Amino acid sequence: MRAIVKNNFLPFIARGIANLVDHGAGHVEEVLKKIEELCIACSETGLRLSPPERYLLELTAWLHDLGCLISRENHELESCKLLESIKRDLILDDEVVRLIKLLIKFHRKRARLDSLCRRPPDYLFQQPVRLDLLVALFRLADACDMGSRSTHAMVGERAPPVLFKAIRSKLPRRSRKHWLVHMACLGTSINPETGRIAIHRRDRRAISLLVDELNEEISRVRRILEKYHLPFTKAEIIDHVNERSS
């Protein structure tokens, strides 16, 4: 499944979102890393995800942005349509596909999460699946991909400066702003013991846009986080300005 998606779909996502930062293989890899960091932080509180829950999070990371091949607007719905059309090629069980579609639909910022907290557990492979918990963790992991990355060198920057230099004059104003703040960011980290989410800044350029977006996402899923007594409460900035000259 991973090879099919990585080699046949992710390289072409950029055609549907030419003005945005990377949403391809690098984004998937970084989201997977952030999922792992969040799961480790959860385990420090005594909350452990089951193998089916981890499996669903991994598959969702690979599949959630495929709809950008068609259009950025409503891309979660397009992702679900694409998933339905290729599920046999990916050798995915119908129940797995059903749950992934729900995770994809709820990963959009505009998705209302009220009903999730009251939803009874779903089941996969005869084990309970806490869909609300998975949605909250996935949305945080998705939002935590910013700036430089710790994964493959070929996709080490979400907004490569050399590429920005080449296309800057063609970008809409809002897109330019997003590229600039990502270029000023060294990435994020999640402290496994405290659950603190840190945004690392490489210079003194304002990155309030990224901080605000991540804190807004934490706020949107706060009710779910509180339900499971998880410590992800607020993102903060850590400066590395002086480290570059020392």
Side-chain angles (χ1 to χ4, degrees):
M1 190 284 299
R2 299 164 187 81
I4 291 175
V5 174
K6 186 172 184 178
N7 297 329
N8 296 281
F9 289 88
L10 296 183
F12 297 95
I13 279 182
R15 74 177 191 177
I17 50 171
N19 294 328
L20 298 188
V21 294
D22 175 41
H23 281 71
H27 177 55
V28 170
E29 292 175 5
E30 192 67 8
V31 169
L32 287 170
K33 183 177 185 298
K34 296 306 170 185
I35 287 171
E36 181 63 26
E37 292 178 11
L38 289 166
C39 287
I40 292 172
C42 287
S43 67
E44 290 291 325
T45 71
L47 177 66
R48 287 177 171 78
L49 273 66
S50 67
E53 289 174 328
R54 296 286 294 264
Y55 177 63
L56 288 171
L57 284 176
E58 179 184 355
L59 292 182
T60 303
W62 283 100
L63 299 165
H64 72 288
D65 277 338
L66 289 189
C68 292
L69 283 163
I70 310 301
S71 171
R72 178 61 182 172
E73 186 65 23
N74 297 321
H75 76 276
E76 77 281 13
L77 302 180
E78 298 293 348
S79 294
C80 291
K81 292 177 185 177
L82 280 172
L83 174 55
E84 184 63 31
S85 69
I86 64 173
K87 64 183 181 182
R88 300 306 175 209
D89 299 284
L90 302 182
I91 318 177
L92 293 177
D93 179 88
D94 285 341
E95 186 60 13
V96 171
V97 170
R98 182 183 73 84
L99 292 171
I100 293 174
K101 283 182 179 179
L102 288 170
L103 284 166
I104 290 174
K105 288 178 181 177
F106 280 113
H107 98 276
R108 285 301 298 268
K109 294 177 181 178
R110 63 190 180 195
R112 296 183 63 85
L113 304 180
D114 301 346
S115 62
L116 277 178
C117 289
R118 302 187 299 272
R119 184 186 180 95
D122 291 274
Y123 285 83
L124 182 63
F125 309 139
Q126 299 182 328
Q127 294 189 52
V129 170
R130 297 159 290 188
L131 196 70
D132 57 346
L133 174 62
L134 300 189
V135 167
L137 294 178
F138 187 81
R139 287 177 62 146
L140 291 183
D142 194 26
C144 279
D145 179 20
M146 57 182 72
S148 296
R149 291 166 169 153
S150 54
T151 51
H152 196 280
M154 289 290 289
V155 287
E157 298 274 354
R158 188 151 202 210
V162 64
L163 177 57
F164 177 73
K165 181 179 178 181
I167 66 174
R168 177 173 185 164
S169 63
K170 307 297 183 182
L171 292 173
R173 182 177 179 182
R174 179 172 174 79
S175 295
R176 286 201 302 271
K177 187 175 182 180
H178 267 90
W179 278 73
L180 287 168
V181 293
H182 276 283
M183 288 162 54
C185 178
L186 284 168
T188 61
S189 63
I190 301 163
N191 186 304
E193 296 181 356
T194 65
R196 183 186 68 174
I197 300 176
I199 300 175
H200 300 270
R201 181 165 61 177
R202 76 168 89 220
D203 59 35
R204 297 194 184 280
R205 282 179 288 176
I207 61 170
S208 59
L209 177 64
L210 294 178
V211 178
D212 291 345
E213 287 182 350
L214 182 49
N215 280 326
E216 286 170 7
E217 193 67 338
I218 293 172
S219 178
R220 291 185 188 101
V221 300
R222 177 162 287 123
R223 185 178 173 189
I224 299 172
L225 299 177
E226 291 175 347
K227 175 182 175 180
Y228 292 100
H229 308 290
L230 295 177
F232 314 118
T233 56
K234 188 177 181 181
E236 60 181 45
I237 296 175
I238 295 181
D239 277 319
H240 298 267
V241 177
N242 296 328
E243 295 178 10
R244 301 187 69 190
S245 58
S246 59

